[in-house]
Amino acid sequence: MEIAIKELTKTFKGRIAVDHLSLTIGQGEFFALLGENGAGKTTTIKLLSCLMKPTSGDAIMLGDSIVENPQAVKKKLNISPQETAVARNLTVKENLEFIAKIYGSDKREAEQKAMGLMDKFGLMDRAKSKGRTLSGGLERRLSIAMAMISEPEIIFLDEPTVGLDVRARLDLWQILLDLKGQITIILTTHYLEEVEALADRIGIMHKGRLHALGTLEELKEQTGQAKLQDIFLQLTAEAEIQ
Amino acid sequence: MRALTFAERNRKEILRDPMTLLFGMVLPLLMLWLFSMMAENMPFDLFTLEKLAPAIIVFSFSFITLFTGMLIGRDKSSSFLMRIFASPMAATDYLAGYALPLLPIAFLQITACYGTALLLGMPFTIDAIPAVGVLSIISLLYIGFGLFFGTFFTDRQVGAMFAIFVNITTWLSGTWFELDMIGGTFQRVAYLLPFAHAVDASRAIFAGDYGAVFIPMLWVMAYTAVIFGIAVWGFKKRMRG
Ligand SMILES: Nc1ncnc2c1ncn2[C@@H]1O[C@H](COP(=O)(O)OP(=O)(O)O)[C@@H](O)[C@H]1O
Ligand SMILES: [Mg+2]
């Protein structure tokens, strides 16, 4: 069981945002989608999480098609959007319980799950703090914990470390490394270090198209470059010339 | 069940915002008090408590539009809506979840305004009981406008739209002056919109003039149905991306 993306395409009023994207992501893999602003990363996530219908193409998410059976796909995944999507006037604990409940937990189960995740994500001492009072790093941790509380098989993290300071970023990386291997993680970013620190495999996206796919080692071999930065520049420069 | 969970979240989100108390409660009560004091020196009876209180309750509902619109607008800009769109909730769950918590808030506004009017010297009448029912229906109109603004505009735009909305709802409703004092096109336009009808219905029911409630309420309910319809359509469209 895997994620098989086939010729996935999305156009907005004639402008192409995701352009015949095809790739396969294995179960339990930590996959990073790397690309500049406007590359089509968020649109790809919206398509894969059934928030948007593709213009053409399809993706089979652990056996179910996003086109044919979006309701089944939705049950398997959760998402931490680019903007953290935390309820401002709800406490950390209430935010977590709320998501647990809309995914079907009763009061007791929701509380248990919230406690477990606050523990895991280092949020226990902020359980009663309102969403709007959290720092960027804590807000992002809460955002990811909210996505984890529905016990998804696939989690999407859209640019999770944008705007974080160094320490908050490193803390978050540690949390993500702890999640690694437990579920399928698809992370988007434009930070190269993040990809190197976290990902099993990398897809480089530019102007809606996938320009390279593989482990860091494979990409180095393909391009003859030693640094991810140079690999990225080389691959996207080819696209600029075309 | 999911709709109720979502409604609970929305109730907390609105009630924990100090703006709710300030604009939803304090401001209308203040205006009730100020205008009722002016009534003594006025040659006409527009600002007597019996005419003022029913109109100010309707005025306070316009803030319900603001609260609903802002909440939805913020949920869009913070991607909170995206998060819950990814959940297995249905479109009707969302809209019910946004609309439901505003009804108890409307009830609080009704009782606070009416209670204040009693304290200021308005005599109690039994007509207040059916009036709560009529006003609850009227509040749906303002909730509907909130859903409409929140669905089609960003949180910042909602703020600007509300500034226009609150002016239209108060100036074209006969709350602060009699519409037939101006007459003509102004009055005709006012009665093509639902707000003057809402104020007329509210005054009539409090006065026990049940016969005069029906036609204005038809206007109000027709507008409510249309606004809800448009909001639901827009929301569903948004959900599909
Ligand atoms: N809802 C939308 N309507 C129109 N254009 C959009 C919409 N969403 C994204 N786009 C466009 O699609 C392209 C890819 O955007 P996006 O997926 O957000 O990129 P990224 O997340 O990689 O920064 C951009 O050119 C963007 O302007
Ligand atoms: Mg993006």
Side-chain angles (χ1 to χ4, degrees):
Chain A
M1 291 289 239
E2 55 193 15
I3 298 173
I5 305 171
K6 298 173 195 162
E7 301 286 313
L8 196 65
T9 301
K10 180 75 186 179
T11 52
F12 294 109
K13 298 194 181 85
R15 279 188 56 213
I16 198 149
V18 176
D19 190 358
H20 296 87
L21 185 70
S22 293
L23 71 120
T24 303
I25 299 169
Q27 197 160 23
E29 191 175 344
F30 195 134
F31 186 83
L33 204 51
L34 179 68
E36 298 165 4
N37 283 333
K41 305 182 297 294
T42 300
T43 307
T44 304
I45 287 191
K46 284 185 177 169
L47 293 170
L48 295 181
S49 51
C50 309
L51 291 166
M52 236 178 217
K53 286 211 173 92
T55 310
S56 64
D58 197 355
I60 308 300
M61 310 289 282
L62 312 179
D64 283 300
S65 152
I66 59 167
V67 178
E68 306 287 326
N69 204 350
Q71 285 307 322
V73 173
K74 276 184 170 186
K75 291 205 180 95
K76 300 178 192 178
L77 59 86
N78 212 331
I79 150 177
S80 168
Q82 192 165 348
E83 304 78 17
T84 48
V86 163
R88 299 170 76 240
N89 288 329
L90 257 53
T91 66
V92 167
K93 184 157 171 272
E94 286 170 340
N95 263 294
L96 289 165
E97 288 173 343
F98 166 66
I99 301 294
K101 284 183 197 159
I102 61 169
Y103 277 89
S105 291
D106 61 22
K107 202 168 176 297
R108 251 192 60 209
E109 193 184 37
E111 181 165 16
Q112 266 171 12
K113 285 183 178 172
M115 296 304 255
L117 279 164
M118 285 191 297
D119 193 33
K120 199 167 171 179
F121 282 72
L123 290 164
M124 204 53 115
D125 54 338
R126 300 300 297 274
K128 292 202 166 76
S129 304
K130 301 269 166 66
R132 68 181 137 82
T133 67
L134 299 177
S135 67
L138 288 179
E139 196 176 326
R140 178 57 68 177
R141 275 197 240 168
L142 173 57
S143 174
I144 296 172
M146 284 164 78
M148 289 295 293
I149 205 161
S150 66
E151 296 169 351
E153 295 173 69
I154 307 164
I155 187 170
F156 293 97
L157 308 175
D158 198 0
E159 309 224 16
T161 61
V162 167
L164 299 192
D165 57 39
V166 178
R167 186 168 304 280
R169 172 170 300 157
L170 292 177
D171 284 348
L172 192 65
W173 284 3
Q174 194 51 56
I175 287 174
L176 295 181
L177 285 171
D178 290 343
L179 291 179
K180 193 167 168 170
Q182 297 173 30
I183 60 174
T184 308
I185 303 176
I186 299 173
L187 171 142
T188 76
T189 185
H190 57 257
Y191 295 120
L192 303 160
E193 326 84 83
E194 191 152 295
V195 172
E196 292 186 301
L198 300 173
D200 294 322
R201 250 173 4 125
I202 307 160
I204 294 180
M205 207 171 172
H206 190 65
K207 296 188 171 165
R209 291 180 52 199
L210 191 69
H211 283 274
L213 180 68
T215 63
L216 188 56
E217 291 310 315
E218 286 166 357
L219 294 183
K220 284 178 182 170
E221 226 162 86
Q222 273 175 36
T223 55
Q225 301 281 7
K227 282 162 64 186
L228 183 55
Q229 180 176 315
D230 297 324
I231 297 173
F232 182 79
L233 290 175
Q234 180 182 328
L235 289 167
T236 52
E238 282 167 10
E240 294 294 326
I241 295 161
Q242 279 167 14
Chain B
M1 197 50 228
R2 290 204 168 97
L4 290 183
T5 303
F6 189 44
E8 190 195 344
R9 176 264 169 176
N10 294 329
R11 179 180 57 82
K12 287 179 184 162
E13 202 74 45
I14 291 170
L15 286 180
R16 288 178 186 176
D17 190 337
M19 289 302 171
T20 305
L21 188 67
L22 194 65
F23 286 107
M25 290 286 186
V26 177
L27 182 69
L29 295 185
L30 210 62
M31 296 189 89
L32 183 62
W33 179 60
L34 284 174
F35 278 88
S36 69
M37 285 202 311
M38 281 162 58
E40 289 159 27
N41 308 317
M42 291 285 176
F44 46 84
D45 67 351
L46 188 69
F47 295 154
T48 58
L49 283 166
E50 286 82 354
K51 292 203 99 175
L52 191 62
I56 294 229
I57 293 174
V58 175
F59 165 72
S60 72
F61 289 167
S62 49
F63 294 99
I64 286 186
T65 302
L66 177 67
F67 303 149
T68 324
M70 281 303 248
L71 182 63
I72 301 176
R74 280 210 193 107
D75 282 352
K76 284 194 303 194
S77 63
S78 73
S79 289
F80 194 79
L81 211 51
M82 176 173 166
R83 185 194 285 284
I84 49 183
F85 277 174
S87 80
M89 257 166 66
T92 44
D93 289 335
Y94 298 110
L95 286 164
Y98 278 124
L100 283 177
L102 275 312
L103 280 171
I105 291 176
F107 182 76
L108 283 178
Q109 291 178 311
I110 297 167
T111 44
C113 278
Y114 188 68
T116 306
L118 292 180
L119 285 178
L120 290 171
M122 187 170 85
F124 173 81
T125 62
I126 201 74
D127 301 314
I129 294 166
V132 172
V134 167
L135 281 164
S136 300
I137 297 172
I138 293 176
S139 76
L140 289 175
L141 172 70
Y142 290 82
I143 295 173
F145 270 104
L147 296 177
F148 172 83
F149 286 140
T151 301
F152 290 100
F153 300 102
T154 65
D155 48 346
R156 284 197 196 151
Q157 289 168 333
V158 169
M161 295 300 296
F162 175 72
I164 301 168
F165 179 75
V166 75
N167 273 295
I168 292 175
T169 56
T170 51
W171 295 118
L172 294 177
S173 68
T175 304
W176 311 128
F177 52 84
E178 303 267 12
L179 288 170
D180 36 1
M181 237 167 58
I182 299 181
T185 314
F186 188 84
Q187 187 179 15
R188 237 173 292 129
V189 170
Y191 278 101
L192 285 176
L193 294 170
F195 312 112
H197 294 289
V199 169
D200 284 354
S202 178
R203 282 182 176 146
I205 188 82
F206 271 107
D209 184 3
Y210 296 157
V213 175
F214 188 67
I215 299 290
M217 281 309 281
L218 273 186
W219 276 88
V220 169
M221 288 190 288
Y223 261 97
T224 306
V226 170
I227 289 290
F228 260 86
I230 297 173
V232 171
W233 170 79
F235 204 82
K236 283 194 168 158
K237 198 169 157 225
R238 230 198 131 71
M239 267 185 85
R240 277 183 256 116

